[in-house]
PDB file of all heavy atoms in Angstrom:
ATOM      1  N   SER A   6      61.322 151.496 138.288  1.00  0.00           N
ATOM      2  CA  SER A   6      62.099 150.596 139.166  1.00  0.00           C
ATOM      3  C   SER A   6      61.848 149.100 138.846  1.00  0.00           C
ATOM      4  O   SER A   6      62.740 148.256 138.945  1.00  0.00           O
ATOM      5  CB  SER A   6      61.816 150.864 140.640  1.00  0.00           C
ATOM      6  OG  SER A   6      60.478 150.554 140.933  1.00  0.00           O
ATOM      7  N   CYS A   7      60.620 148.841 138.499  1.00  0.00           N
ATOM      8  CA  CYS A   7      60.228 147.478 138.098  1.00  0.00           C
ATOM      9  C   CYS A   7      61.020 147.025 136.868  1.00  0.00           C
ATOM     10  O   CYS A   7      61.523 145.913 136.722  1.00  0.00           O
ATOM     11  CB  CYS A   7      58.754 147.364 137.962  1.00  0.00           C
ATOM     12  SG  CYS A   7      57.851 147.387 139.445  1.00  0.00           S
ATOM     13  N   VAL A   8      60.934 147.974 135.864  1.00  0.00           N
ATOM     14  CA  VAL A   8      61.686 147.689 134.635  1.00  0.00           C
ATOM     15  C   VAL A   8      63.131 147.449 134.740  1.00  0.00           C
ATOM     16  O   VAL A   8      63.670 146.502 134.281  1.00  0.00           O
ATOM     17  CB  VAL A   8      61.444 148.853 133.608  1.00  0.00           C
ATOM     18  CG1 VAL A   8      62.355 148.652 132.343  1.00  0.00           C
ATOM     19  CG2 VAL A   8      59.987 148.940 133.132  1.00  0.00           C
ATOM     20  N   ASP A   9      63.717 148.263 135.706  1.00  0.00           N
ATOM     21  CA  ASP A   9      65.155 148.227 135.896  1.00  0.00           C
ATOM     22  C   ASP A   9      65.459 146.839 136.570  1.00  0.00           C
ATOM     23  O   ASP A   9      66.502 146.315 136.330  1.00  0.00           O
ATOM     24  CB  ASP A   9      65.616 149.350 136.778  1.00  0.00           C
ATOM     25  CG  ASP A   9      67.132 149.426 136.931  1.00  0.00           C
ATOM     26  OD1 ASP A   9      67.794 149.651 135.908  1.00  0.00           O
ATOM     27  OD2 ASP A   9      67.629 149.318 138.058  1.00  0.00           O
ATOM     28  N   SER A  10      64.621 146.417 137.537  1.00  0.00           N
ATOM     29  CA  SER A  10      64.859 145.215 138.209  1.00  0.00           C
ATOM     30  C   SER A  10      64.658 144.039 137.344  1.00  0.00           C
ATOM     31  O   SER A  10      65.284 142.971 137.596  1.00  0.00           O
ATOM     32  CB  SER A  10      63.824 145.100 139.364  1.00  0.00           C
ATOM     33  OG  SER A  10      62.497 144.970 138.902  1.00  0.00           O
ATOM     34  N   GLU A  11      63.940 144.135 136.188  1.00  0.00           N
ATOM     35  CA  GLU A  11      63.709 143.062 135.280  1.00  0.00           C
ATOM     36  C   GLU A  11      64.953 142.936 134.281  1.00  0.00           C
ATOM     37  O   GLU A  11      65.122 141.891 133.642  1.00  0.00           O
ATOM     38  CB  GLU A  11      62.495 143.242 134.412  1.00  0.00           C
ATOM     39  CG  GLU A  11      61.194 143.140 135.189  1.00  0.00           C
ATOM     40  CD  GLU A  11      60.996 141.714 135.698  1.00  0.00           C
ATOM     41  OE1 GLU A  11      61.241 140.805 134.974  1.00  0.00           O
ATOM     42  OE2 GLU A  11      60.551 141.547 136.859  1.00  0.00           O
ATOM     43  N   ILE A  12      65.748 143.950 134.163  1.00  0.00           N
ATOM     44  CA  ILE A  12      66.880 143.911 133.242  1.00  0.00           C
ATOM     45  C   ILE A  12      68.029 143.084 133.877  1.00  0.00           C
ATOM     46  O   ILE A  12      68.435 143.256 134.988  1.00  0.00           O
ATOM     47  CB  ILE A  12      67.361 145.320 132.980  1.00  0.00           C
ATOM     48  CG1 ILE A  12      66.246 146.147 132.222  1.00  0.00           C
ATOM     49  CG2 ILE A  12      68.667 145.350 132.190  1.00  0.00           C
ATOM     50  CD1 ILE A  12      66.650 147.593 132.017  1.00  0.00           C
ATOM     51  N   ASN A  13      68.479 142.147 133.051  1.00  0.00           N
ATOM     52  CA  ASN A  13      69.612 141.324 133.375  1.00  0.00           C
ATOM     53  C   ASN A  13      70.826 142.099 133.020  1.00  0.00           C
ATOM     54  O   ASN A  13      71.221 142.216 131.888  1.00  0.00           O
ATOM     55  CB  ASN A  13      69.537 139.994 132.683  1.00  0.00           C
ATOM     56  CG  ASN A  13      70.673 139.050 133.248  1.00  0.00           C
ATOM     57  OD1 ASN A  13      71.646 139.453 133.880  1.00  0.00           O
ATOM     58  ND2 ASN A  13      70.567 137.852 132.830  1.00  0.00           N
ATOM     59  N   ARG A  14      71.516 142.661 134.020  1.00  0.00           N
ATOM     60  CA  ARG A  14      72.597 143.456 133.771  1.00  0.00           C
ATOM     61  C   ARG A  14      73.769 142.776 133.078  1.00  0.00           C
ATOM     62  O   ARG A  14      74.690 143.371 132.492  1.00  0.00           O
ATOM     63  CB  ARG A  14      73.110 144.226 135.028  1.00  0.00           C
ATOM     64  CG  ARG A  14      72.000 145.120 135.586  1.00  0.00           C
ATOM     65  CD  ARG A  14      72.524 146.044 136.619  1.00  0.00           C
ATOM     66  NE  ARG A  14      71.401 146.985 137.063  1.00  0.00           N
ATOM     67  CZ  ARG A  14      71.690 148.179 137.518  1.00  0.00           C
ATOM     68  NH1 ARG A  14      72.945 148.606 137.786  1.00  0.00           N
ATOM     69  NH2 ARG A  14      70.665 148.894 137.879  1.00  0.00           N
ATOM     70  N   LYS A  15      73.849 141.438 133.119  1.00  0.00           N
ATOM     71  CA  LYS A  15      74.818 140.674 132.464  1.00  0.00           C
ATOM     72  C   LYS A  15      74.669 140.771 130.917  1.00  0.00           C
ATOM     73  O   LYS A  15      75.603 140.435 130.175  1.00  0.00           O
ATOM     74  CB  LYS A  15      74.789 139.252 132.945  1.00  0.00           C
ATOM     75  CG  LYS A  15      75.131 138.960 134.383  1.00  0.00           C
ATOM     76  CD  LYS A  15      75.161 137.501 134.760  1.00  0.00           C
ATOM     77  CE  LYS A  15      75.530 137.275 136.203  1.00  0.00           C
ATOM     78  NZ  LYS A  15      75.461 135.880 136.547  1.00  0.00           N
ATOM     79  N   ASP A  16      73.554 141.135 130.496  1.00  0.00           N
ATOM     80  CA  ASP A  16      73.287 141.359 129.051  1.00  0.00           C
ATOM     81  C   ASP A  16      73.799 142.654 128.503  1.00  0.00           C
ATOM     82  O   ASP A  16      73.703 142.903 127.285  1.00  0.00           O
ATOM     83  CB  ASP A  16      71.757 141.259 128.811  1.00  0.00           C
ATOM     84  CG  ASP A  16      71.222 139.908 129.087  1.00  0.00           C
ATOM     85  OD1 ASP A  16      71.974 138.900 128.993  1.00  0.00           O
ATOM     86  OD2 ASP A  16      70.039 139.761 129.315  1.00  0.00           O
ATOM     87  N   PHE A  17      74.378 143.488 129.408  1.00  0.00           N
ATOM     88  CA  PHE A  17      74.771 144.814 128.902  1.00  0.00           C
ATOM     89  C   PHE A  17      76.182 145.169 129.374  1.00  0.00           C
ATOM     90  O   PHE A  17      76.747 144.681 130.344  1.00  0.00           O
ATOM     91  CB  PHE A  17      73.864 145.940 129.612  1.00  0.00           C
ATOM     92  CG  PHE A  17      72.440 145.860 129.186  1.00  0.00           C
ATOM     93  CD1 PHE A  17      71.490 145.021 129.790  1.00  0.00           C
ATOM     94  CD2 PHE A  17      72.043 146.701 128.157  1.00  0.00           C
ATOM     95  CE1 PHE A  17      70.230 144.993 129.385  1.00  0.00           C
ATOM     96  CE2 PHE A  17      70.697 146.631 127.768  1.00  0.00           C
ATOM     97  CZ  PHE A  17      69.813 145.807 128.365  1.00  0.00           C
ATOM     98  N   PHE A  18      76.869 146.012 128.499  1.00  0.00           N
ATOM     99  CA  PHE A  18      78.038 146.686 128.846  1.00  0.00           C
ATOM    100  C   PHE A  18      77.622 147.956 129.553  1.00  0.00           C
ATOM    101  O   PHE A  18      76.620 148.616 129.105  1.00  0.00           O
ATOM    102  CB  PHE A  18      78.912 147.094 127.688  1.00  0.00           C
ATOM    103  CG  PHE A  18      79.770 145.962 127.137  1.00  0.00           C
ATOM    104  CD1 PHE A  18      79.299 145.199 126.123  1.00  0.00           C
ATOM    105  CD2 PHE A  18      80.993 145.716 127.643  1.00  0.00           C
ATOM    106  CE1 PHE A  18      80.096 144.127 125.551  1.00  0.00           C
ATOM    107  CE2 PHE A  18      81.744 144.687 127.127  1.00  0.00           C
ATOM    108  CZ  PHE A  18      81.326 143.916 126.083  1.00  0.00           C
ATOM    109  N   VAL A  19      78.220 148.251 130.658  1.00  0.00           N
ATOM    110  CA  VAL A  19      77.875 149.502 131.365  1.00  0.00           C
ATOM    111  C   VAL A  19      79.069 150.554 131.221  1.00  0.00           C
ATOM    112  O   VAL A  19      80.199 150.171 131.510  1.00  0.00           O
ATOM    113  CB  VAL A  19      77.661 149.297 132.854  1.00  0.00           C
ATOM    114  CG1 VAL A  19      77.253 150.596 133.556  1.00  0.00           C
ATOM    115  CG2 VAL A  19      76.597 148.225 133.126  1.00  0.00           C
ATOM    116  N   ILE A  20      78.781 151.697 130.747  1.00  0.00           N
ATOM    117  CA  ILE A  20      79.772 152.751 130.501  1.00  0.00           C
ATOM    118  C   ILE A  20      79.428 154.030 131.303  1.00  0.00           C
ATOM    119  O   ILE A  20      78.328 154.564 131.095  1.00  0.00           O
ATOM    120  CB  ILE A  20      79.887 153.043 129.027  1.00  0.00           C
ATOM    121  CG1 ILE A  20      80.328 151.881 128.131  1.00  0.00           C
ATOM    122  CG2 ILE A  20      80.869 154.225 128.799  1.00  0.00           C
ATOM    123  CD1 ILE A  20      80.472 152.206 126.695  1.00  0.00           C
ATOM    124  N   ASP A  21      80.355 154.405 132.051  1.00  0.00           N
ATOM    125  CA  ASP A  21      80.203 155.596 132.850  1.00  0.00           C
ATOM    126  C   ASP A  21      80.275 156.819 131.962  1.00  0.00           C
ATOM    127  O   ASP A  21      81.334 156.993 131.319  1.00  0.00           O
ATOM    128  CB  ASP A  21      81.178 155.649 133.996  1.00  0.00           C
ATOM    129  CG  ASP A  21      81.040 156.866 134.924  1.00  0.00           C
ATOM    130  OD1 ASP A  21      80.243 156.800 135.919  1.00  0.00           O
ATOM    131  OD2 ASP A  21      81.664 157.922 134.613  1.00  0.00           O
ATOM    132  N   LYS A  22      79.299 157.695 132.023  1.00  0.00           N
ATOM    133  CA  LYS A  22      79.296 158.831 131.056  1.00  0.00           C
ATOM    134  C   LYS A  22      80.379 159.868 131.341  1.00  0.00           C
ATOM    135  O   LYS A  22      80.967 160.527 130.491  1.00  0.00           O
ATOM    136  CB  LYS A  22      77.939 159.481 131.020  1.00  0.00           C
ATOM    137  CG  LYS A  22      76.907 158.556 130.327  1.00  0.00           C
ATOM    138  CD  LYS A  22      75.423 159.090 130.451  1.00  0.00           C
ATOM    139  CE  LYS A  22      75.287 160.372 129.663  1.00  0.00           C
ATOM    140  NZ  LYS A  22      73.868 160.824 129.663  1.00  0.00           N
ATOM    141  N   GLU A  23      80.637 160.102 132.694  1.00  0.00           N
ATOM    142  CA  GLU A  23      81.576 161.016 133.069  1.00  0.00           C
ATOM    143  C   GLU A  23      83.008 160.642 132.642  1.00  0.00           C
ATOM    144  O   GLU A  23      83.749 161.421 132.087  1.00  0.00           O
ATOM    145  CB  GLU A  23      81.556 161.323 134.576  1.00  0.00           C
ATOM    146  CG  GLU A  23      82.537 162.399 135.044  1.00  0.00           C
ATOM    147  CD  GLU A  23      82.324 162.653 136.576  1.00  0.00           C
ATOM    148  OE1 GLU A  23      81.423 162.153 137.248  1.00  0.00           O
ATOM    149  OE2 GLU A  23      83.224 163.390 137.108  1.00  0.00           O
ATOM    150  N   GLU A  24      83.272 159.308 132.875  1.00  0.00           N
ATOM    151  CA  GLU A  24      84.591 158.757 132.465  1.00  0.00           C
ATOM    152  C   GLU A  24      84.705 158.895 130.911  1.00  0.00           C
ATOM    153  O   GLU A  24      85.798 159.132 130.382  1.00  0.00           O
ATOM    154  CB  GLU A  24      84.701 157.379 132.870  1.00  0.00           C
ATOM    155  CG  GLU A  24      86.132 156.732 132.581  1.00  0.00           C
ATOM    156  CD  GLU A  24      86.183 155.304 132.911  1.00  0.00           C
ATOM    157  OE1 GLU A  24      85.226 154.729 133.476  1.00  0.00           O
ATOM    158  OE2 GLU A  24      87.246 154.705 132.598  1.00  0.00           O
ATOM    159  N   TYR A  25      83.605 158.608 130.188  1.00  0.00           N
ATOM    160  CA  TYR A  25      83.594 158.618 128.770  1.00  0.00           C
ATOM    161  C   TYR A  25      83.855 160.103 128.256  1.00  0.00           C
ATOM    162  O   TYR A  25      84.549 160.245 127.196  1.00  0.00           O
ATOM    163  CB  TYR A  25      82.288 158.122 128.231  1.00  0.00           C
ATOM    164  CG  TYR A  25      82.460 157.572 126.762  1.00  0.00           C
ATOM    165  CD1 TYR A  25      82.874 156.261 126.555  1.00  0.00           C
ATOM    166  CD2 TYR A  25      82.285 158.350 125.639  1.00  0.00           C
ATOM    167  CE1 TYR A  25      82.950 155.737 125.330  1.00  0.00           C
ATOM    168  CE2 TYR A  25      82.374 157.796 124.387  1.00  0.00           C
ATOM    169  CZ  TYR A  25      82.767 156.551 124.181  1.00  0.00           C
ATOM    170  OH  TYR A  25      82.938 155.974 122.884  1.00  0.00           O
ATOM    171  N   THR A  26      83.348 161.043 128.930  1.00  0.00           N
ATOM    172  CA  THR A  26      83.640 162.516 128.559  1.00  0.00           C
ATOM    173  C   THR A  26      85.112 162.743 128.596  1.00  0.00           C
ATOM    174  O   THR A  26      85.695 163.372 127.724  1.00  0.00           O
ATOM    175  CB  THR A  26      82.821 163.450 129.465  1.00  0.00           C
ATOM    176  OG1 THR A  26      81.513 163.097 129.394  1.00  0.00           O
ATOM    177  CG2 THR A  26      83.025 164.822 129.012  1.00  0.00           C
ATOM    178  N   ASN A  27      85.759 162.294 129.686  1.00  0.00           N
ATOM    179  CA  ASN A  27      87.198 162.510 129.810  1.00  0.00           C
ATOM    180  C   ASN A  27      87.907 161.747 128.683  1.00  0.00           C
ATOM    181  O   ASN A  27      88.954 162.205 128.157  1.00  0.00           O
ATOM    182  CB  ASN A  27      87.708 162.068 131.165  1.00  0.00           C
ATOM    183  CG  ASN A  27      89.129 162.366 131.463  1.00  0.00           C
ATOM    184  OD1 ASN A  27      90.038 161.546 131.196  1.00  0.00           O
ATOM    185  ND2 ASN A  27      89.385 163.523 131.929  1.00  0.00           N
ATOM    186  N   LYS A  28      87.423 160.613 128.332  1.00  0.00           N
ATOM    187  CA  LYS A  28      88.060 159.882 127.223  1.00  0.00           C
ATOM    188  C   LYS A  28      87.870 160.647 125.886  1.00  0.00           C
ATOM    189  O   LYS A  28      88.800 160.679 125.066  1.00  0.00           O
ATOM    190  CB  LYS A  28      87.398 158.434 127.087  1.00  0.00           C
ATOM    191  CG  LYS A  28      87.861 157.529 128.183  1.00  0.00           C
ATOM    192  CD  LYS A  28      87.151 156.189 128.064  1.00  0.00           C
ATOM    193  CE  LYS A  28      87.732 155.075 129.022  1.00  0.00           C
ATOM    194  NZ  LYS A  28      89.033 154.610 128.600  1.00  0.00           N
ATOM    195  N   LEU A  29      86.767 161.174 125.704  1.00  0.00           N
ATOM    196  CA  LEU A  29      86.557 161.939 124.449  1.00  0.00           C
ATOM    197  C   LEU A  29      87.453 163.184 124.421  1.00  0.00           C
ATOM    198  O   LEU A  29      88.012 163.535 123.399  1.00  0.00           O
ATOM    199  CB  LEU A  29      85.044 162.357 124.231  1.00  0.00           C
ATOM    200  CG  LEU A  29      84.100 161.230 123.870  1.00  0.00           C
ATOM    201  CD1 LEU A  29      82.690 161.778 123.867  1.00  0.00           C
ATOM    202  CD2 LEU A  29      84.459 160.628 122.595  1.00  0.00           C
ATOM    203  N   GLU A  30      87.631 163.808 125.547  1.00  0.00           N
ATOM    204  CA  GLU A  30      88.635 164.945 125.675  1.00  0.00           C
ATOM    205  C   GLU A  30      89.992 164.437 125.295  1.00  0.00           C
ATOM    206  O   GLU A  30      90.747 165.109 124.639  1.00  0.00           O
ATOM    207  CB  GLU A  30      88.522 165.582 127.030  1.00  0.00           C
ATOM    208  CG  GLU A  30      87.281 166.367 127.322  1.00  0.00           C
ATOM    209  CD  GLU A  30      87.414 167.025 128.685  1.00  0.00           C
ATOM    210  OE1 GLU A  30      88.095 168.003 128.836  1.00  0.00           O
ATOM    211  OE2 GLU A  30      86.646 166.573 129.602  1.00  0.00           O
ATOM    212  N   GLY A  31      90.296 163.250 125.759  1.00  0.00           N
ATOM    213  CA  GLY A  31      91.601 162.609 125.471  1.00  0.00           C
ATOM    214  C   GLY A  31      91.726 162.364 123.967  1.00  0.00           C
ATOM    215  O   GLY A  31      92.852 162.387 123.487  1.00  0.00           O
TER     216      GLY A  31
END
């Protein structure tokens, strides 16, 4: 939790894995 709190989420693209699975099926 400490590590996660230190991460600046603006530095990352966030990709939902469930949505990505549907995209790969597509």
Side-chain angles (χ1 to χ4, degrees):
S6 67
C7 289
V8 170
D9 190 62
S10 66
E11 291 294 319
I12 293 174
N13 186 349
R14 299 196 173 202
K15 293 182 179 179
D16 293 336
F17 294 86
F18 281 94
V19 183
I20 297 179
D21 183 89
K22 292 172 67 174
E23 184 175 352
E24 181 183 1
Y25 205 88
T26 303
N27 187 265
K28 285 177 171 291
L29 288 178
E30 289 184 72

